[in-house]
Amino acid sequence: MDRTKPQIIELPKIFDPRGNLTFVESGNQVPFDIRRVYWIYDVPGGEKRGSHAHFKGIELIVAASGSFDVILSDGHDTLSFSLNRSYRGLYVPAGYWRTLDNFSSGSVCMVLTSTPYSEDDYVRDFDEYLKLKADNEI
Ligand code: TYD
């Protein structure tokens, strides 16, 4: 895979009449070491999450339940992904501005990331992001 490009990664799905199962292993299904996992849930209708970029953090975003959209921007082009399967993850390299919206009721957004939490790794202002992109600093 091209690690510089956002893309959907199909994860293993173990079909089972008792209920299906999906798994990920650091450095195996995901091309980075997983240092942190967080999940977003109980999102009220119409709310957005995210709207930031990371200098270093690489992510795999999974709709563990329900559905939502992930909108990615590199400052020029915009890409939109609808996530609605528990066995599919969106790989997001560092440096993309990403916004999550259109959450279905009861959805769970699980994010596997390559870095421990650090506010220093965030850009939360889009104009600042565009400036950093223009200066090749993100
Ligand atoms: P925030 O980054 O604003 O959420 P979003 O994904 O919608 O942009 O995070 C909300 C708050 O949670 C913020 O105060 C930082 C804190 N937080 C942690 O402490 N650890 C974490 O791993 C994450 C993702 C957030």
Side-chain angles (χ1 to χ4, degrees), residues 36 38 40 48-52 98 117 119 122 124:
R36 178 167 53 107
Y38 66 91
I40 296 170
K48 291 183 198 289
R49 296 294 310 232
S51 296
H52 61 243
R98 100 272 198 289
Y117 175 74
E119 193 56 36
Y122 283 74
R124 293 188 181 273

